[in-house]
Amino acid sequence: MKREYKIALILFGCAVLFRLLFAIPGMQNPELLMRPDSATYLAPAQALLEYGHYGHGSFPTALRVPLYPVLLAPWLWLDGGSAGFFCILINLLLSSAAVPLIWLSCRELGIPEKYSLAGTAIYLLTPTPVALAPMFLSDGLFGTVAALEMFFLIRFLQRKESLWLYLAAVTGGLGVLVRPLNLLWIVPCLLAVSFQYRKSWRKFLKDGIIATLLFSAVFAPWLLRNHIRGFGWRIDTVSADSLKHNAAIVESRLTGRPAQYFRDAYEVHFKAHFAANPKLFRTEAEELTYREQYLTAILKKHPGIYLKGFFHPVNFIPDVPSLLENLGLSKGNKGTLDVIVNYGIFAGLKHYFNGQYWLLILLFPLCLLLAAGYFLAVYGFFSMLRKKNWFLPLLFLPLGFYYAVVTGPVAYPRFSLPILPYLSLLTAIGLQMLREHRKNRETNNTSERNF
């Protein structure tokens, strides 16, 4: 076995053990690892075991895309039908797999081992991926999917073999079945690799079409299933709920009222409207269409506020609250997001910790590591631009931008997870270039003294 793959296995083991350390309280009390959305993933897995179909109880559902619940189902069976040790273990294994993929991506680029290890440490050790790893959410798995997409794309760009682009496209399609935000991923993907085809646009057209077909073929059966079941041509039904959160945040910024006020008001309106017009809303698809049109109209009225919300710094702070909640040291559902939306991050921190800043100090070293990663990534990015090395910037910009804005104004630190593999790569590059810059300065200073 090659040395790179041996180290990859070691890093995988280290990632699992490190995440397991922070998941011990959750293994004793799985409720610590639950969030409001967790039930929407567990219910389809339980329905698969009890009724043999993907649903909520005995009724079919399209609320969530299926890959994470399907992967969870066998482990739920081992746990006797309720989330426990085996489910938490598979969560840890699935999310930890991103770490060796980041390492292999660094080595594929020829980054020396010590710098590759430093870049990989960003994903291995920082709070957000550590917090999400054992939780009953699809985000941990999605981080691994993003890392696998990146690995295949780098192999394609390095080796110039179309197979790796096709594999990246299939992985992107699987990503849609983990989190629907990947639905348009193929666009920034093809944009990122287009410079590879500068001399052959016919080949780009051919490979682009094949990649798009492979990407679409992965989730097309699920889309057809939803249509047949009466949910319309939708990848899931939670997208209407996402629009509700986005519209509520926009109106919250306009009025200063909590976003929850508007979310509740929307639901009151929908229930009253559907009850008053039963002939117009006979299926769930018709109700969803109305919801989407109503909420989209609100966003269209305030495009400036809506677009401004796409760039929210809260997505890029370490997810210390989730990690503390997993450990049982803090509790969520404090309305912190509403405070951040209206008054900023520092007001949100003050509201969340309520004077208990020692909790933040506990995890400060891990936060400091992420801050160093951001600094080195920025340094590496602009150093490559200065040297006219376009490889990573052209890969990072379309995909990083896509993952940064695709969630809309709704802001949570976990939304940065698919960007972190690219950040880790840039961190390794930045550290290498910083070290080379210092060596060059030392060499120049020595030469001047000798002269």
Side-chain angles (χ1 to χ4, degrees):
M1 184 184 292
K2 287 184 177 180
R3 177 181 172 84
E4 281 83 1
Y5 291 101
K6 289 180 181 178
I7 295 175
L9 286 174
I10 293 170
L11 287 169
F12 177 65
C14 289
V16 172
L17 290 174
F18 188 69
R19 283 148 174 71
L20 180 62
L21 181 66
F22 286 90
I24 290 172
M27 287 191 160
Q28 296 171 334
N29 178 17
E31 284 299 318
L32 293 174
L33 304 176
M34 300 290 181
R35 296 299 181 269
D37 290 345
S38 296
T40 62
Y41 294 106
L42 286 166
Q46 290 167 333
L48 283 169
L49 297 178
E50 293 181 28
Y51 301 100
H53 70 93
Y54 190 88
H56 190 99
S58 58
F59 298 97
T61 185
L63 182 64
R64 294 287 181 186
V65 285
L67 190 54
Y68 174 59
V70 167
L71 292 174
L72 199 60
W75 303 84
L76 194 64
W77 176 77
L78 289 175
D79 277 325
S82 60
F85 172 81
F86 288 107
C87 287
I88 296 169
L89 181 62
I90 191 59
N91 286 342
L92 291 171
L93 293 172
L94 289 172
S95 55
S96 297
V99 171
L101 289 168
I102 292 168
W103 156 261
L104 290 171
S105 298
C106 290
R107 296 298 292 142
E108 182 71 23
L109 284 173
I111 302 171
E113 281 188 4
K114 57 183 178 181
Y115 304 123
S116 297
L117 287 170
T120 305
I122 298 298
Y123 204 95
L124 199 158
L125 298 174
T126 53
T128 304
V130 174
L132 270 296
M135 289 167 61
F136 290 93
L137 297 170
S138 62
D139 297 82
L141 174 59
F142 191 65
T144 294
V145 169
L148 187 58
E149 291 168 354
M150 182 183 76
F151 173 66
F152 284 141
L153 286 176
I154 287 172
R155 281 218 160 178
F156 166 67
L157 294 170
Q158 286 288 91
R159 304 187 182 194
K160 299 177 176 59
E161 297 171 358
S162 299
L163 171 65
W164 300 109
L165 175 61
Y166 302 156
L167 290 173
V170 170
T171 306
L174 290 172
V176 177
L177 296 178
V178 178
R179 291 203 68 198
L181 61 83
N182 233 41
L183 194 58
L184 298 176
W185 171 88
I186 194 67
V187 176
C189 167
L190 293 178
L191 185 62
V193 302
S194 60
F195 70 93
Q196 181 78 291
Y197 297 91
R198 294 185 302 275
K199 298 178 181 178
S200 179
W201 284 99
R202 285 185 180 179
K203 191 172 190 310
F204 174 63
L205 189 62
K206 173 196 163 190
D207 282 353
I209 290 172
I210 293 173
T212 302
L213 290 173
L214 288 171
F215 171 76
S216 304
V218 175
F219 58 83
W222 174 254
L223 198 64
L224 180 61
R225 174 262 186 195
N226 288 345
H227 177 68
I228 292 171
R229 292 286 188 177
F231 301 113
W233 292 104
R234 292 176 174 85
I235 199 69
D236 68 353
T237 59
V238 81
S239 54
D241 193 60
S242 298
L243 280 173
K244 180 176 73 175
H245 285 280
N246 288 333
I249 287 174
V250 167
E251 296 209 270
S252 176
R253 284 180 174 152
L254 275 170
T255 64
R257 286 179 170 177
Q260 188 61 46
Y261 169 84
F262 294 100
R263 288 193 288 268
D264 293 341
Y266 300 151
E267 286 302 323
V268 170
H269 167 76
F270 292 143
K271 286 179 182 178
H273 187 71
F274 296 152
N277 301 278
K279 292 182 179 180
L280 294 177
F281 303 102
R282 296 177 180 176
T283 67
E284 186 171 351
E286 290 167 339
E287 290 185 0
L288 288 167
T289 298
Y290 178 80
R291 284 173 177 265
E292 290 162 356
Q293 290 173 347
Y294 180 87
L295 295 166
T296 301
I298 294 173
L299 298 177
K300 286 180 178 179
K301 288 179 183 177
H302 313 287
I305 295 174
Y306 177 58
L307 293 174
K308 183 182 176 183
F310 274 62
F311 302 94
H312 209 296
V314 74
N315 283 352
F316 302 99
I317 63 174
D319 198 355
V320 171
S322 289
L323 199 51
L324 292 172
E325 290 161 27
N326 291 354
L327 295 170
L329 298 175
S330 183
K331 291 185 178 180
N333 300 321
K334 299 178 181 179
T336 305
L337 180 61
D338 288 341
V339 175
I340 290 173
V341 166
N342 291 307
Y343 304 106
I345 288 177
F346 292 107
L349 288 173
K350 184 178 179 181
H351 173 81
Y352 182 86
F353 288 102
N354 193 27
Q356 293 183 300
Y357 294 110
W358 64 271
L359 292 172
L360 183 59
I361 294 170
L362 276 176
L363 299 173
F364 184 72
L366 299 183
C367 298
L368 201 60
L369 180 65
L370 182 60
Y374 282 138
F375 168 78
L376 289 167
V378 171
Y379 181 84
F381 182 83
F382 285 104
S383 295
M384 294 188 81
L385 289 181
R386 191 176 64 250
K387 293 186 175 183
K388 296 184 179 180
N389 185 336
W390 311 111
F391 185 95
L392 270 183
L394 288 173
L395 179 66
F396 174 78
L397 279 175
L399 291 161
F401 178 81
Y402 176 76
Y403 282 131
V405 304
V406 71
T407 55
V410 179
Y412 292 104
R414 59 191 172 96
F415 290 165
S416 70
L417 214 58
I419 306 174
L420 283 181
Y422 298 91
L423 177 80
S424 299
L425 208 63
L426 284 170
T427 298
I429 291 284
L431 189 58
Q432 181 184 5
M433 290 191 167
L434 185 62
R435 183 59 184 154
E436 288 175 358
H437 178 69
R438 289 185 64 183
K439 278 185 177 180
N440 290 336
R441 285 184 61 184
E442 289 169 3
T443 302
N444 292 336
N445 288 341
T446 302
S447 299
E448 289 174 5
R449 284 196 298 270
N450 291 338
F451 180 75

